[in-house]
Amino acid sequence: RKEVEQDPGPFNVPEGATVAFNCTYSNSASQSFFWYRQDCRKEPKLLMSVYSSGNEDGRFTAQLNRASQYISLLIRDSKLSDSATYLCVVNIPTGNTPLVFGKGTRLSVIA
Amino acid sequence: GAVVSQHPSRVICKSGTSVKIECRSLDFQATTMFWYRQFPKKSLMLMATSNEGSKATYEQGVEKDKFLINHASLTLSTLTVTSAHPEDSSFYICSARDEQATNTGELFFGEGSRLTVL
């Protein structure tokens, strides 16, 4: 089983739609979880951290289910500018290891 | 927020030459930096962890003599692709944590360097 797995998509949705991405991770000792956004040919940028209680930032809502080792990202009222690849990222807490990235889910918001 | 700068952003070279990529943390010190490689439509693959003042730690399958890493100061790490070949063509991205920040899980990325070996 891969450390971090995501549905690669692409998700093609109309403007205004609600879209949800899922991600599973294999290491039950993982402690930190993030969603990064990567635009084409650009570096990844942090979208939001994922907290145990779930958290919301505007149109974006992140959820964590430790029992199922599952993370989700919900985008409401999609905008054209939301088109990007969304990377699920997990901190594997063994030594000074960096983050482990999923392959990303590609989203295209269509007018 | 913290900024990581990477240079050059794009380089085209002939097969057999060596290419150096620089990664700088601009407003924080980073004892550790990470070098990733990304193929088209693929995720980031960790190549190595760069440690200030000591040897880099390479991931399995990454040739240390091929990808030389030097972390000479707390704000600068360099990756040198030696004797580059077309299969080395890729997007190379460095990253670092601001170890003084409260959210120490967050990584800041350089802008990436797109290497094309002819």
Side-chain angles (χ1 to χ4, degrees):
Chain A
R1 184 180 173 185
K2 294 179 183 174
E3 289 190 274
V4 180
E5 288 201 68
Q6 287 182 257
D7 181 344
F11 285 63
N12 300 313
V13 303
E15 271 188 291
T18 296
V19 61
F21 305 139
N22 302 321
C23 170
T24 57
Y25 60 95
S26 61
N27 191 328
S28 59
S30 300
Q31 295 176 349
S32 305
F33 310 89
F34 308 88
W35 284 101
Y36 275 73
R37 170 188 169 139
Q38 186 174 24
D39 293 293
C40 188
R41 295 177 173 258
K42 299 286 187 181
E43 75 277 17
K45 292 185 178 176
L46 179 67
L47 178 65
M48 58 196 305
S49 302
V50 185
Y51 302 121
S52 297
S53 54
N55 48 302
E56 188 173 311
D57 182 3
R59 298 181 292 108
F60 299 86
T61 301
Q63 297 278 355
L64 167 63
N65 184 322
R66 285 191 186 272
S68 301
Q69 295 180 202
Y70 170 97
I71 306 158
S72 66
L73 176 69
L74 183 77
I75 304 175
R76 289 182 299 278
D77 189 22
S78 300
K79 311 290 185 192
L80 293 176
S81 57
D82 294 334
S83 298
T85 296
Y86 291 83
L87 302 166
C88 173
V89 186
V90 175
N91 186 9
I92 308 296
T94 53
N96 188 19
T97 53
L99 307 179
V100 178
F101 287 77
K103 288 189 176 181
T105 299
R106 198 149 54 90
L107 171 66
S108 291
V109 181
I110 305 162
Chain B
V3 177
V4 174
S5 176
Q6 194 172 333
H7 177 80
S9 59
R10 192 182 299 267
V11 59
I12 300 172
C13 70
K14 292 182 179 177
S15 192
T17 59
S18 293
V19 175
K20 181 187 282 188
I21 302 170
E22 292 187 347
C23 180
R24 294 180 186 273
S25 55
L26 296 185
D27 55 0
F28 65 98
Q29 294 183 333
T31 55
T32 305
M33 291 186 176
F34 306 100
W35 286 96
Y36 288 87
R37 181 174 181 175
Q38 187 174 33
F39 291 101
K41 299 188 179 183
K42 300 288 185 183
S43 187
L44 285 81
M45 280 178 36
L46 179 66
M47 297 175 65
T49 301
S50 171
N51 304 300
E52 187 269 334
S54 64
K55 291 181 181 178
T57 305
Y58 289 83
E59 296 300 299
Q60 195 171 9
V62 178
E63 298 175 57
K64 56 184 68 177
D65 295 329
K66 173 74 172 175
F67 299 99
L68 299 178
I69 290 173
N70 185 282
H71 196 148
S73 76
L74 287 171
T75 59
L76 173 64
S77 174
T78 61
L79 168 69
T80 301
V81 182
T82 63
S83 186
H85 287 96
E87 58 264 31
D88 299 325
S89 300
S90 191
F91 192 50
Y92 295 87
I93 312 179
C94 71
S95 65
R97 280 195 186 97
D98 180 354
E99 291 150 15
Q100 303 301 316
T102 53
N103 183 2
T104 56
E106 181 180 1
L107 276 182
F108 295 97
F109 285 87
E111 303 92 334
S113 299
R114 190 164 299 282
L115 171 63
T116 302
V117 184
L118 302 176

